[in-house]
């Protein structure tokens, strides 16, 4: 059965420093993986997705994620944090057999000035 | 990507009453989904709504409590029936686009508080 684990419930970084949000997944087959962002009082926005093409995926707002099959990881990174990046980030895996999305618990990113 | 709107954006309701949430999409989509996001938690899929057929409910959710309609390819409603404070959540609809339905796009959500 598929599952997804976000290793940190909160991550706090200073503005201008790198961001790393960690995600591990469990899947029997080659998964589709996504990162979504949810800003306070706003809807969910797709940041990026991996669907068996390039293992390094570039998304919006300078974020990228690398699919590492050997480590079953799909960590989200950004070289330099901006105050506007403060939000909740969700790692998501799509079920192999159907459309269902399995959601991680979320990581709250806090940006310190 | 599809543009999705939801009504109402928020509501405060008394226990024992029902609320119907509307989801409108600006293009025709095959599958629409309803999620619940309880305070401080991640998303949980309630059901999948295909046009012209009964909604498919996930474990822990039943039609009597969360009836869903899907009258056409751009619209769906979710009703939260006989509400209790435990139903206080954000309710989100989403749509799948593309042949493989990989991506889902989300509405802004309906923030429900039950007193």
């Amino acid at each position: 059965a598929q599952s997804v684990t976000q290793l940190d419930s909160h991550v706090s970084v200073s503005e201008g420093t790198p961001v790393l949000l960690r995600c591990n997944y469990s899947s029997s087959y080659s998964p589709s993986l996504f990162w979504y962002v949810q800003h306070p009082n706003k809807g969910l926005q797709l940041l990026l997705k991996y669907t068996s093409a390039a293992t390094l995926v570039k998304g919006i707002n300078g974020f990228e994620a690398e699919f590492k099959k050997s480590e079953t990881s799909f960590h989200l990174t950004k070289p330099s944090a901006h105050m506007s990046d403060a939000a909740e980030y969700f790692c998501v895996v799509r079920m192999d057999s159907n459309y269902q999305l399995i959601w991680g618990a979320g990581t709250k990113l806090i940006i310190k000035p | 990507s599809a543009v999705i709107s939801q009504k109402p954006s928020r509501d405060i309701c008394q226990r024992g009453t029902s609320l119907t949430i509307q989801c409108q999409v600006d293009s025709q989509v095959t599958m629409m989904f309803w999620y619940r996001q309880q305070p401080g938690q991640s998303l949980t899929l309630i059901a999948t709504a295909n046009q012209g057929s009964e909604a498919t409910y996930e474990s822990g959710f039943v039609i009597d409590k969360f009836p869903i309609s899907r009258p056409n390819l751009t619209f769906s409603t979710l009703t939260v029936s006989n509400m209790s404070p435990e139903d206080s959540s954000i309710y989100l609809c989403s749509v799948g686009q593309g042949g493989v339905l990989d991506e889902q796009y989300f509405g802004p959500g309906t923030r429900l508080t039950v007193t």
Side-chain angles (χ1 to χ4, degrees):
Chain A
Q2 284 91 341
S3 66
V4 58
T5 303
Q6 292 184 244
L7 296 156
D8 307 292
S9 60
H10 294 77
V11 169
S12 180
V13 302
S14 297
E15 189 176 21
T17 64
V19 174
L20 170 64
L21 305 183
R22 298 182 294 167
C23 173
N24 286 96
Y25 69 91
S26 170
S27 176
S28 302
Y29 306 98
S30 294
S32 295
L33 294 157
F34 310 84
W35 277 98
Y36 282 84
V37 60
Q38 187 176 36
H39 287 92
N41 300 315
K42 292 190 176 180
L44 283 155
Q45 183 180 21
L46 179 67
L47 268 181
L48 49 81
K49 69 174 182 177
Y50 167 78
T51 54
S52 75
T55 56
L56 183 61
V57 182
K58 293 188 184 298
I60 61 173
N61 301 333
F63 284 94
E64 61 183 36
E66 186 172 9
F67 173 71
K68 291 187 176 180
K69 187 173 182 179
S70 61
E71 300 177 8
T72 62
S73 68
F74 190 57
H75 300 336
L76 182 70
T77 61
K78 183 173 180 177
S80 177
H82 191 272
M83 293 300 292
S84 61
D85 295 328
E88 187 93 21
Y89 291 79
F90 294 95
C91 182
V92 185
V93 60
R94 185 177 70 88
M95 295 276 282
D96 301 321
S97 58
N98 57 43
Y99 50 81
Q100 284 195 32
L101 300 181
I102 307 299
W103 291 74
T107 298
K108 186 172 184 178
L109 178 61
I110 300 163
I111 310 296
K112 297 178 291 186
Chain B
S1 62
V3 177
I4 306 162
S5 59
Q6 286 185 234
K7 290 182 181 179
S9 59
R10 59 177 63 222
D11 207 342
I12 301 172
C13 302
Q14 292 190 344
R15 69 175 67 206
T17 63
S18 298
L19 176 72
T20 295
I21 302 168
Q22 299 178 7
C23 180
Q24 180 75 51
V25 190
D26 69 342
S27 58
Q28 294 184 340
V29 293
T30 305
M31 304 184 83
M32 296 179 76
F33 309 90
W34 286 99
Y35 288 86
R36 181 175 72 183
Q37 186 178 22
Q38 293 178 300
Q41 297 192 25
S42 187
L43 276 71
T44 302
L45 181 65
I46 297 172
T48 302
N50 291 338
Q51 192 269 335
S53 64
E54 295 287 328
T56 303
Y57 289 83
E58 299 304 308
S59 176
F61 298 96
V62 295
I63 188 171
D64 290 346
K65 176 67 175 177
F66 297 100
I68 288 171
S69 76
R70 181 78 199 274
N72 57 54
L73 291 172
T74 62
F75 187 78
S76 179
T77 67
L78 169 76
T79 299
V80 186
S81 304
N82 188 24
M83 287 184 285
S84 66
E86 292 70 35
D87 294 320
S88 297
S89 293
I90 298 173
Y91 292 86
L92 301 112
C93 72
S94 75
V95 303
Q97 284 197 305
V100 294
L101 299 176
D102 265 357
E103 296 172 37
Q104 289 186 19
Y105 295 93
F106 286 81
T110 296
R111 185 179 295 270
L112 171 62
T113 302
V114 183
T115 60

